[in-house]
Amino acid sequence: MPLPGSAERPAGRTFLRDRAYDALFDAIQSGQLLPGEVLRDEELMAWLGMSRTPIRHALIRLAESGLIEMSAGRQTTVAELAPDRTNRALFVSAMFNEYAARRVVGTDVRAIAEALTARRDEVRAGVESGDGLRIARGVSAFFRVLTERVGNAELDGQVARIDTELARFLSPGGAVTTVDVQALRSAVDAVHDAVLAGELPAVLDAFQALYVPTRESFFSRFREPEID
């Protein structure tokens, strides 16, 4: 496994397993670790500067998210981008976000206004810089503001699992995304404004404007009879 370079150590107190997860997640999403690459514990320990235990915790989380493949007696490898899984993630993500909007819009959203605006601004910054990974992270965080407002731990867990798959689609192994980022930005802006205005029909229209071109981009890239 070619090591990506020294792993950055974030400031502040964090669990080692979380640091390991974040470093590996970023390396996979950015394309530093490519699909099919073998992940060996000893090399990861040298790269991350930590023991095997937190690394194994991180690898299990990554496997649960579909980013790596690991099983007893076999090598641990970076997972391929699976079109059928991405297709399902797009569909389920749309349902989750619509459910959250129906629960949240029309209630007092002042508590989430600042966070929603900050995440929208992160999407804008990603688009302006052309950074696909930053866009993917921003979009994921933006919609998590809505789903987390629902207050359902099971929903939060499901969202976290599909977010990683969608991030790989938005930023497939590099900084450049194949999605129309200007349309994505406009849709996120529209969702933001409609949520804060308490206008559910406008939110649902914005979701449609977001998911239709995104799925069209998906099919243009992974057009296969069994999923079309």
Side-chain angles (χ1 to χ4, degrees), residues 19-86:
R19 279 174 37 194
Y21 175 86
D22 288 343
L24 288 166
F25 180 93
D26 287 348
I28 293 170
Q29 296 293 91
S30 67
Q32 290 178 298
L33 294 175
L34 297 173
E37 282 197 32
V38 178
L39 304 177
R40 299 181 178 87
D41 287 2
E42 293 75 13
E43 293 178 344
L44 295 177
M45 290 163 61
W47 170 43
L48 296 170
M50 60 183 69
S51 68
R52 188 186 308 272
T53 299
I55 290 173
R56 296 304 294 179
H57 278 293
L59 291 174
I60 290 170
R61 283 181 61 192
L62 290 164
E64 291 173 345
S65 300
L67 288 180
I68 69 170
E69 296 176 349
M70 61 186 304
S71 59
R74 300 184 62 183
Q75 292 180 319
T76 299
T77 59
V78 178
E80 300 287 343
L81 184 61
D84 58 339
R85 195 168 59 220
T86 303

Side-chain angles (χ1 to χ4, degrees), residues 140-198:
S140 174
F142 176 83
F143 285 106
R144 278 204 310 273
V145 174
L146 295 178
T147 53
E148 290 175 359
R149 180 64 172 171
V150 175
N152 184 311
E154 179 62 25
L155 175 63
D156 293 341
Q158 294 291 338
V159 167
R161 279 187 282 274
I162 65 175
D163 273 354
T164 56
E165 186 65 33
L166 295 181
R168 293 194 82 189
F169 169 59
L170 289 173
S171 181
V176 179
T177 176
T178 58
V179 175
D180 183 341
V181 294
Q182 295 301 331
L184 185 65
R185 168 179 170 166
S186 296
V188 168
D189 283 346
V191 172
H192 169 274
D193 295 345
V195 168
L196 297 189

Side-chain angles (χ1 to χ4, degrees), residues 83-84 86-88 90-91 169 178 211-228:
D84 58 339
T86 303
N87 186 38
R88 289 194 299 270
L90 284 167
F91 180 74
F169 169 59
T178 58
Y211 280 99
V212 168
T214 301
R215 293 197 81 236
E216 287 176 351
S217 175
F218 167 79
F219 283 123
S220 69
R221 185 169 162 220
F222 298 114
R223 185 166 295 278
E224 298 182 12
E226 65 270 25
I227 61 172
D228 197 350

